[in-house]
Amino acid sequence: MENMDKDIQQILLTEEQIQSKIAELGKILTEEYADKNPVIVGVLKGVVVFYADMIRQIKTPCQLDFMWISSYAGANSSGKMLVRQDVTADIKGRHVLILEDIFDTGNSLSFTVEHLLSKEPASLKICTFLDKPERRKPGVTLQADYVGYTIPNAFVVGYGLDYNEKYRNLPYIGILKPEVYEK
Ligand code: IMP
Ligand code: MG
């Protein structure tokens, strides 16, 4: 059986560190969204593991929804995105919280925010588990309202994050050995 751990250079965040941060964020978000019945929008697919853990620490009634966005094929550098699957809830006048796995260049979040704002929610906030501010594209002024961990500029996998669709099921967040993506 292939062992995925051998491709990891360094464990950046252990399962314990991940869960303690989620508990901390959960207390803040529970207070923020008490009696607001928020729509919690997950941006697929990377967010699924964080999403499942996070919603169980938000201890107030809420509605779950998802969006799936992607870059136009063959246009990686242009940063043009499209909605592959939209939210199903009518979010007009609702309090919306976006959950994201990682805030990197900011292309995905900027696009998601613009898309959801056009539906006129009562409020729109962003909670990202990881933030890599060094990678932000010039011109992106968007900021996350809630951040789990700010991390250095390294390619990380696990806890939902992938490299070529692999490693999403690692229970921790690790830095991938460069030779894995250079080969
Ligand atoms: P953006 O560059 O902020 O638009 O981030 C786009 C997407 O790139 C994220 O939602 C992740 O799926 C992916 N991504 C960015 N940085 C990493 C990383 O370090 N590891 C794995 N996926 C990443
Ligand atoms: Mg990805």
Side-chain angles (χ1 to χ4, degrees):
M1 191 172 63
E2 191 193 327
N3 171 13
M4 292 183 286
D5 301 312
K6 72 175 187 335
D7 296 340
I8 304 303
Q9 176 176 297
Q10 184 198 332
I11 294 181
L12 197 62
L13 297 166
T14 63
E15 291 183 69
E16 290 72 24
Q17 287 172 308
I18 291 170
Q19 293 309 326
S20 83
K21 183 59 76 176
I22 287 172
E24 196 184 299
L25 286 170
K27 290 195 183 100
I28 298 167
L29 293 173
T30 300
E31 245 182 63
E32 172 68 31
Y33 288 101
D35 308 316
K36 288 187 179 160
N37 189 24
V39 182
I40 303 185
V41 177
V43 185
L44 297 171
K45 296 186 266 188
V47 82
V48 290
V49 186
F50 171 54
Y51 192 96
D53 283 343
M54 192 66 253
I55 55 166
R56 284 178 290 174
Q57 298 301 324
I58 301 177
K59 299 186 181 191
T60 187
C62 59
Q63 187 174 340
L64 313 188
D65 218 316
F66 299 93
M67 269 186 78
W68 186 14
I69 60 172
S70 59
S71 311
Y72 276 101
N76 280 351
S77 53
S78 77
K80 266 189 106 182
M81 313 286 302
L82 83 152
V83 177
R84 289 178 74 155
Q85 186 194 299
D86 205 348
V87 288
T88 56
D90 178 8
I91 61 167
K92 185 170 182 172
R94 299 286 302 274
H95 294 283
V96 175
L97 174 66
I98 299 173
L99 292 189
E100 252 286 27
D101 48 357
I102 187 164
F103 190 7
D104 189 45
T105 64
N107 279 337
S108 313
L109 264 178
S110 303
F111 177 79
T112 304
V113 163
E114 198 181 324
H115 177 76
L116 293 176
L117 278 179
S118 73
K119 297 174 186 281
E120 301 176 40
S123 70
L124 183 64
K125 288 194 171 189
I126 300 165
C127 173
T128 185
F129 190 59
L130 301 177
D131 188 8
K132 261 202 260 184
E134 285 172 54
R135 287 263 305 163
R136 209 78 84 240
K137 218 175 66 176
V140 173
T141 52
L142 188 73
Q143 289 197 329
D145 300 279
Y146 309 97
V147 174
Y149 288 101
T150 298
I151 62 166
N153 183 9
F155 194 81
V156 293
V157 293
Y159 199 65
L161 290 156
D162 72 306
Y163 169 65
N164 272 352
E165 296 301 328
K166 197 172 165 187
Y167 309 106
R168 291 193 196 276
N169 55 336
L170 281 177
Y172 57 83
I173 292 171
I175 298 177
L176 196 60
K177 285 181 182 166
E179 63 246 42
V180 175
Y181 46 86
E182 281 162 4
K183 75 183 171 198

